[in-house]
Amino acid sequence: MRRLLFVTLAGVIVGLAQGWLSANPSTRSPNQALAVHGTVPEATAMADAGIKVVNEAEKFLKQISPPNTPPKLTMAIANSLYRFRGELPKTVMHGERLTLMGEPIGMELSSRAATCQGLIHPFVLQAAGAPEAAKFRQKLLLDLDRSMPKREEQLAQIRQWIESGNIDQAASAYDEIVVFIYSTIYFLSSNDVAPRLGTFLTTGAQLTSAATKPRTVQARQKFDEAIVNQLPNSTALTQWAVTVSDSIRSTGQAKLADDSTMGDGPACFAELLTRWQNAHAAWQRVAGLRWAGQWHAGDSRNPLVMPELKVWNDAVIVAAMQIIEADAQSIQPESVPNRHQSYLQVIAKELPKLSPDFVKQAMTALDKLLQRNPSYADNVRNYDAATRDVLAFRSRAADQAAQLLRSDYPLWNTIVATRARTSGKDFGVFPEQSNLVYPSLSGSASATINAIAPKLVDQTASIDRVIDLGTQSKTAAASLHQGCYATVLQVRLPESEIVKMEDALMVSTEHPPLSLAATDAIVAARTGNHVAAGGKVVAVHLEPTISRFTTMPDAASVIVPYGEIPSTNDQTMMNQILVRADIMTDWVQHRMGIYDPE
Amino acid sequence: MQLFRTTGPSFPNGTAMRFVSIQQWRPIWGSFLIIGLVVLCGCSKEELVTMTSTMQQKAKEAIAEVNEIPVVADILPPQGSGQVQLTTPVAIQTAYVRFYPVGEGRPSVIQWTSYDPEAGPETYPALLVRATTSASTLDQIVDQTLPSEIYFQASKDADVLSLPLGSFIDLTVARSQPNSKLVLATVAAGELYDPSGARHAISGITIEGVDL
């Protein structure tokens, strides 16, 4: 029964998680292609076409070469190979072009297409000795000869286009010749082929050398445009905060956005946090675009150094303080308790996402609000003193219990680093012997996922800083650590436990908590934010780091704390991969204890 | 051991610090060191008591000297004490009691701690005995029995022993003398749990905290 539940829930997790994370290879669909971010628009179609070719070629190879059977080629098969022999070299070339477009799938495509070519070769050698082969070779030679004059004309035209800078047209025309030539020459000896190629190879070399620079420049332009579009506007935020705080100071309310919805200080503060979440996701996308763009020669920008990010982070803190301080200036003393408690609720809801510095500054600003009602401020001080030690001891005990559980539930990134190494012919996400910290692909993603699946699925793992993604998604996501993160089904604590917490913290419907720590304890229990969680790995996904960050959805950006971009090794971004687990939760760590969702 | 209760390492965190700064204490440390050496060299109990009172006198004089204020009887105020009756009993060297009225119809909280409540449970052994009450002053709960929460950690690396959330052990509140600053909690026998869920029997806890 439990097993059945596992399978059903696992399906739900995968289904839901895929809603907010674009598809990638996983243990459930190992042949799924790596996600394309499409910053250079033509990348998507090029990648789709390439994936179609390698998928078909791999499927075909599987059909003609059952396991443990020596290769045997009939002429029927030789004829079917015709298409692949042309398309595969083109796919190798397109893979290289995709890499120039900052697409991690480029390397994957080139490598899978090249592998297919290698696997086809033994069949070709065998077929060449067959009795009917001589006749077939004659036909191919005739095809080459007949088409040569027209082809040379086309190649001359292509060279003209190259010289006039019309690279795309030249490349597209050359692609067609590539398919024809390679699908024809595979069965012929090099002596036969050499005199019949004309200017094919030299034109190709000319195209490659002429195309690299403009393509790099073009891609770079696309990245720069995308970055400009994404970059959060600190000045606009600052102006908004000034307008909002002026309005709060004079009327106690302000327009939340450009529409006419009015809100009080806490509502404006919540709006600020929403703006931060959206901007935070944008910063992650900017980091992804910088990594993608960095691949190009000559791009020496260190993507991890973004002075604009610090400006934004500072602006958010100033805005937060301005809103609360404006409220403190205009508020009537009798309104202080409600307002203070509303602010605590708003901050506690987002607490696991926020930077400690931001929280500290916001709490300092809240002290000014408290000063407007000294007797309430006394209550708050007493409440804090009467609850903080309980919270401290419970939190320590929960940490200790979680530490004990970690012997059976190691951290997910530790499991990946120890179990998902390359071993013999099995690809892993770390080389066999290395001190690399961030996972990367060294073979095709599908081969890698197939090799690591038995080593990772069904392991029990723990994760930390689990943040609920909202009622609609029914999932929560854990922090990204060294290229590993996880998603779990939403777990909210049972009401019977929440009541006990409320008793200990002297909280009831009429008496909301008066400290941030106590508010967080209750809010986290109700929303399903957890300090940590542990459970069984039911699925593993490989997500190219560049694509994941370049297309980061707003909700998913919580895998990185607000104000930060993930640290990573910036030398090998193109093949770096995020290893995501879907975990069926066995336990969650709340700041007041460990809970079993069953 | 009385000696160390009044002059031991926890003293500088204690209430006397409100009158004397660390720099001002410097001349007195030498006296304490001598007392320590005497203890180590194995004097008889009587000799020790005599020396102790002499040294305490000297300490008081030293304080008077550096502060130029009159010596008052409570310059070395009571520090509280306690004992956690685990299989191996653990002595509590200093103890505090605080009563927190939160107002607005919420319960009040009384807490006995082995550590300075301002600093939090950062010195060990760390003991917190806590009870909520509808009373609005500490005096109202003297001689009463209240359900209490217990938290105990013998050292920084030791397990936290506590009760499950929503479980309590009874304690009774007492004052040894009507106007004493010391308030005694006597916790009944029961079982505490470590983070692995294992039970640790206690035959009781006493903690007499200083109410300031």
Side-chain angles (χ1 to χ4, degrees), chain A residues 460-484:
Chain A
T460 45
S462 62
I463 46 182
D464 59 18
R465 194 178 153 274
V466 181
I467 298 180
D468 181 63
L469 296 172
T471 28
Q472 278 192 326
S473 86
K474 294 197 172 12
T475 47
S479 265
L480 178 69
H481 282 303
Q482 299 181 339
C484 299

Side-chain angles (χ1 to χ4, degrees), chain A residues 337 341 376 379 382-383 385-390 392-394 396-397 400-401 404 500-501 504 506 511-512 514 592 595, chain B residues 100-102 104-107 109 111 115 117 121-122 124 126 128 130 149 151 153 158-160 163-166 195-196:
Chain A
Q341 290 153 23
Y376 175 71
N379 289 346
N382 277 343
Y383 179 86
T387 52
R388 67 181 173 227
D389 290 1
V390 168
F393 273 117
R394 290 258 172 223
R396 270 182 210 180
Q400 290 177 344
L404 291 173
K500 289 180 198 165
M501 281 177 202
M506 299 170 292
H511 298 116
L514 301 184
M592 293 184 80
Y595 294 93
Chain B
Y100 300 108
V102 185
E104 297 174 340
R106 284 174 213 263
V109 171
Q111 292 193 158
Y115 48 85
E122 302 300 334
Y124 300 89
L128 167 65
R130 177 184 195 255
E149 295 168 60
Y151 301 89
Q153 194 177 8
D159 285 344
V160 172
L163 291 161
L165 206 53
S196 75

Side-chain angles (χ1 to χ4, degrees), chain A residues 1 34 46 66 76 107 155 254 316 327 332 338 343 367 381 395-396 406 454 465 484 487 490 530 555 577 584:
Chain A
M1 185 61 200
L34 293 173
M46 192 178 282
M107 283 179 149
L155 287 167
V316 170
D327 218 355
Q332 293 302 310
N338 271 338
Y343 275 114
D367 283 344
R381 247 190 309 281
S395 165
R396 270 182 210 180
R406 287 223 165 89
R465 194 178 153 274
C484 299
T487 42
Q490 203 169 59
H530 312 296
I577 198 99
M584 286 309 306

Side-chain angles (χ1 to χ4, degrees), chain A residues 5 11 53 84 99 114 123 140 201 222 259 282 287-288 296 300 312 332 335 359 361 374 396 476 511 534 548 575:
Chain A
L5 184 73
V53 170
F84 297 124
T99 305
F123 293 96
L140 294 175
L201 290 176
K222 294 287 178 195
D259 63 18
H296 304 301
S300 58
W312 168 272
Q332 293 302 310
S335 303
V359 175
Q361 302 283 1
R396 270 182 210 180
H511 298 116
R548 166 78 286 133
N575 59 354

Side-chain angles (χ1 to χ4, degrees), chain A residues 131-150:
Chain A
E132 56 272 59
K135 202 173 151 198
F136 187 55
R137 251 197 305 272
Q138 283 310 314
K139 179 195 171 294
L140 294 175
L141 281 172
L142 200 63
D143 283 353
L144 265 185
D145 287 338
R146 278 188 188 152
S147 60
M148 190 154 173
K150 174 114 190 283

Side-chain angles (χ1 to χ4, degrees), chain A residues 4 21 37 44 54 74 93 128 215 257 274 354 361-362 367 381 386 389 476 510 528 536-537 550 581:
Chain A
L4 183 67
L21 294 169
H37 54 81
T44 312
V54 291
T74 61
M93 283 164 53
R215 277 184 185 145
T274 303
L354 304 174
Q361 302 283 1
D367 283 344
R381 247 190 309 281
D389 290 1
E510 309 81 60
K536 192 184 238 184
V537 174
T550 305

Side-chain angles (χ1 to χ4, degrees), chain B residues 46-196:
Chain B
E46 292 71 24
E47 282 170 334
L48 189 59
V49 169
T50 315
M51 292 195 82
T52 304
S53 72
T54 314
M55 288 306 172
Q56 276 182 329
Q57 188 54 41
K58 283 191 173 173
K60 284 180 185 176
E61 284 168 12
I63 293 165
E65 238 175 76
V66 294
N67 279 302
E68 297 175 356
I69 54 163
V71 176
V72 286
D74 63 354
I75 200 106
L76 295 174
Q79 293 273 296
S81 65
Q83 193 156 55
V84 182
Q85 298 286 354
L86 283 157
T87 316
T88 310
V90 179
I92 301 299
Q93 308 288 343
T94 54
Y96 305 80
V97 63
R98 291 286 185 277
F99 187 85
Y100 300 108
V102 185
E104 297 174 340
R106 284 174 213 263
S108 303
V109 171
I110 183 163
Q111 292 193 158
W112 285 262
T113 59
S114 62
Y115 48 85
D116 176 358
E118 300 300 318
E122 302 300 334
T123 50
Y124 300 89
L127 172 69
L128 167 65
V129 176
R130 177 184 195 255
T132 51
T133 167
S134 55
S136 51
T137 66
L138 200 164
D139 285 332
Q140 289 172 353
I141 53 167
V142 171
D143 296 331
Q144 282 196 9
T145 298
L146 303 169
S148 71
E149 295 168 60
I150 313 292
Y151 301 89
F152 178 68
Q153 194 177 8
S155 66
K156 194 175 185 348
D157 298 323
D159 285 344
V160 172
L161 304 184
S162 61
L163 291 161
L165 206 53
S167 297
F168 305 92
I169 302 180
D170 279 350
L171 68 75
T172 46
V173 186
R175 255 193 228 278
S176 49
Q177 287 162 11
N179 291 320
S180 168
K181 287 186 177 233
L182 290 168
V183 181
L184 175 70
T186 307
V187 180
E191 278 176 334
L192 300 181
Y193 293 77
D194 70 23
S196 75

Side-chain angles (χ1 to χ4, degrees), chain A residues 274-346:
Chain A
T274 303
R275 287 175 184 227
W276 197 3
Q277 165 145 352
N278 296 340
H280 175 65
W283 283 113
Q284 309 312 307
R285 295 190 283 266
V286 168
L289 288 163
R290 288 257 177 116
W291 285 325
Q294 191 194 39
W295 186 252
H296 304 301
D299 190 346
S300 58
R301 293 172 299 185
N302 179 350
L304 300 180
V305 177
M306 293 204 275
E308 312 95 312
L309 177 59
K310 190 182 179 314
V311 173
W312 168 272
N313 289 343
D314 291 347
V316 170
I317 289 180
V318 170
M321 292 179 74
Q322 277 173 337
I323 292 171
I324 300 176
E325 283 170 10
D327 218 355
Q329 283 167 21
S330 61
I331 197 167
Q332 293 302 310
E334 64 272 18
S335 303
V336 168
N338 271 338
R339 199 70 54 83
H340 175 248
Q341 290 153 23
S342 298
Y343 275 114
L344 291 180
Q345 291 286 336
V346 169

